[in-house]
Amino acid sequence: MSAKIAAPRGTFDILPEQSAQRALVEHAARELLEAAGYARIETPAFEATELFSRGVGEATDIVQKEMYSFDDGGGRSLTLRPEGTAPVCRAYVEHGMHKLPAPVKLYYLGPFFRAERPQKGRYREFWQVGAEVLGSDDPAVDAELIVLLHDLLKRLGATVRLRLSSLANAQTRAAYREELAAYLRANEHELSETVRSRIDLNPLRAFDSDDLRTQAVMAKAPRLIDRLDSEDAKHFAEVRSLLELAGIPYEIDSTLVRGLDYYTRTLFEFTSDALGAQSGVGGGGRYDGLVELIGGPPTPGIGWAAGIERIVLAAQVSATRDVPPDLYVAHEGRRADAFTLTLAARTAGLRAQMELGGRSLKGQLKHAERISARHLAILDAQGTRLDGKPAEDIVRQVLSA
RNA sequence: GUGGGCGUAGCUCAGCUGGUAGAGCUCCGGGUUGUGGUCCCGGCGGUCGCGGGUUCGAAUCCCGUCGCUCACCCCA
């Protein structure tokens, strides 16, 4: 035997048992989203690298160290898509969807790629279901999207918490960042070393520190939520009241951070305890500047993405794999008859299988039992029987049974 | 990139302080059976991740390496 080849690190085979679970998740997502007027869109698995470096943000972890980029042979750099929002916006612009009645409501479902170290709930190739709404800054869109993701997770049986925040607009956020960094520097001697080293890089992370003295400092730190301008504050208040109307519990978490640069205003994340260190099942936010950033007209947008693998973990989705056949055709020395009968049964709309494993007659009967075949035909030298009794027209008998 | 745990049949694992491998499940066959779910018997299946070292002898000890996994960073 030659050396074995395993699936690349961080990738996985979706075996029949898992494909049934995932199909459940996918069906639920489609049903829910299509009922709300979202139409499916699929974009290529790879895009121009620039789409992500520009759209997601040059300084983000995704762009700096997690992209699978390659030269296409003609000097162009392509990248396996690490996320779905920028590609959807690209398609929106490319196909002139801003001329469609606003807003444009889209969803997608497919594989994404990030070159990270794998761990529980985190893979290098993973699947996401995502929804995006382009062309409306109505707070009801924010609320609708959150409700849809909530309902999806709830329907599948996941126990989740909703964390909610507002990131304001780019100007407010930049000003706040300065204010926070200044505050951290002023209290530098009280901060843990890691937090201190990140003051300029990512000051918001200081809120997540588990260092006690740092926590004491952060308790009094300025919060972005309190710095929203009147427009952003009003938008946020509207979103909140709509969520309350929908009866969806949430927690305001002003420390919510997302690793993508394009977010503005509403930001949210659903978390589950069933995922190990990767608590996020799905999340998203508003990105009012993104479409313009990648060359389109100024267009408000908002969306979310949820990991299929994480949903399966969080919801402990279980599904039965095999659908029992209506008819199993066992045979001994009558392959052609069995073949013809099986095809006829399928043509008549039955789920039919015939013996293909070279088993003994006894083995065939055991097998038919094991897969819970509803009816059993036996074709051998003694004749043709259905469920133990001599039979003429097996297909018709099974159909009328 | 860094750290912890683990790598023995397709799967789950046993194998004490070293003497060149076992069980259960699965699968296939036989027996029993109302030609089929139980039960009984048998069979297929492993270069003990890989490479060195110690030893008369290593799955078992030592070193290295690769892989898996969990965690850090970050995220779906």
Side-chain angles (χ1 to χ4, degrees):
Chain A
M1 202 161 37
S2 307
K4 284 183 190 167
I5 298 173
R9 177 193 291 267
T11 67
F12 50 87
D13 297 308
I14 299 167
L15 302 178
E17 209 172 317
Q18 290 114 37
S19 70
Q21 299 176 343
R22 299 167 67 97
L24 223 60
V25 174
E26 292 166 14
H27 286 150
R30 275 179 205 160
E31 244 177 66
L32 223 49
L33 289 164
E34 285 175 5
Y38 290 70
R40 182 157 181 172
I41 182 171
E42 287 303 337
T43 60
F46 54 85
E47 295 269 1
T49 298
E50 191 189 357
L51 173 64
F52 302 113
S53 53
R54 213 188 322 158
V56 175
E58 200 70 63
T60 59
D61 274 18
I62 289 181
V63 171
Q64 287 204 329
K65 51 183 191 187
E66 295 172 6
M67 297 207 300
Y68 281 106
S69 298
F70 57 96
D71 189 293
D72 73 346
R76 282 170 294 265
S77 178
L78 301 178
T79 294
L80 297 182
R81 59 181 186 180
E83 62 101 48
T85 301
V88 167
C89 289
R90 192 224 81 228
Y92 177 86
V93 173
E94 188 166 335
H95 300 286
M97 290 194 237
H98 58 281
K99 286 178 287 188
L100 297 173
V104 175
K105 309 211 278 190
L106 303 166
Y107 79 94
Y108 58 83
L109 178 59
F112 294 85
F113 310 85
R114 269 140 66 171
E116 295 181 88
R117 200 65 179 258
Q119 67 189 73
K120 190 179 177 81
R122 186 172 72 188
Y123 305 95
R124 292 184 166 181
E125 178 178 10
F126 55 98
W127 281 58
Q128 283 189 164
V129 54
E132 314 283 351
V133 178
L134 283 305
S136 169
D137 63 356
D138 191 316
V141 173
D142 305 42
E144 167 176 298
L145 276 165
I146 293 171
V147 170
L148 283 169
L149 181 51
H150 169 270
D151 287 356
L152 174 62
L153 295 171
K154 191 177 168 191
R155 181 191 291 199
L156 292 166
T159 304
V160 291
R161 291 189 313 148
L162 168 59
R163 298 194 297 152
L164 184 67
S165 186
S166 173
L167 281 181
N169 55 57
Q171 295 79 7
T172 304
R173 192 155 78 246
Y176 167 75
R177 209 182 141 110
E178 282 308 308
E179 183 187 359
L180 179 62
Y183 174 82
L184 291 176
R185 261 184 235 105
N187 295 276
E188 204 165 342
H189 55 286
E190 299 282 335
L191 301 175
S192 75
E193 198 159 326
T194 51
V195 170
R196 230 179 305 162
S197 68
R198 279 198 297 241
I199 288 181
D200 292 306
L201 199 66
N202 193 350
L204 285 173
R205 284 280 300 164
F207 285 106
D208 299 332
S209 174
D210 43 19
D211 176 68
L212 286 176
R213 291 177 72 197
T214 303
Q215 283 178 4
V217 173
M218 298 320 290
K220 292 177 198 152
R223 295 183 179 247
L224 180 54
I225 290 276
D226 304 320
R227 298 290 184 273
L228 303 186
D229 67 25
S230 61
E231 284 292 298
D232 292 340
K234 190 178 162 209
H235 184 93
F236 192 47
E238 284 285 348
V239 173
R240 292 177 58 178
S241 81
L242 290 171
L243 284 178
E244 276 149 32
L245 214 56
I248 300 207
Y250 63 85
E251 312 156 23
I252 299 294
D253 186 342
S254 54
T255 71
L256 239 193
V257 186
R258 311 226 104 220
L260 301 87
D261 280 355
Y262 50 60
Y263 285 114
T264 56
R265 291 192 164 176
T266 310
L267 187 69
F268 59 95
E269 181 171 66
F270 286 91
T271 60
S272 160
D273 296 329
L275 298 188
Q278 306 307 319
S279 59
V281 182
R286 186 163 274 287
Y287 44 85
D288 291 341
L290 180 58
V291 172
E292 194 175 0
L293 190 66
I294 60 174
T299 308
I302 176 169
W304 53 252
I308 299 294
E309 295 78 31
R310 292 190 182 179
I311 293 176
V312 169
L313 277 174
Q316 294 171 311
V317 176
S318 62
T320 44
R321 168 155 67 106
D322 300 311
V323 183
D326 299 311
L327 177 67
Y328 192 84
V329 182
H331 65 92
E332 202 166 46
R334 292 177 59 189
R335 173 184 293 114
D337 291 341
F339 188 70
T340 312
L341 171 58
T342 304
L343 296 188
R346 287 181 192 155
T347 302
L350 293 171
R351 298 174 168 279
Q353 293 183 39
M354 69 176 276
E355 170 63 21
L356 299 169
R359 274 176 277 260
S360 65
L361 189 57
K362 171 176 175 167
Q364 296 182 44
L365 300 179
K366 283 190 171 179
H367 182 66
E369 181 64 36
R370 208 174 289 127
I371 63 176
S372 307
R374 287 177 42 229
H375 297 281
L376 169 67
I378 299 173
L379 278 52
D380 62 11
Q382 277 116 69
T384 299
R385 278 138 296 155
L386 178 64
D387 298 328
K389 281 172 266 180
E392 282 299 309
D393 191 339
I394 288 182
V395 172
R396 195 196 303 168
Q397 285 190 40
V398 172
L399 278 171
S400 62

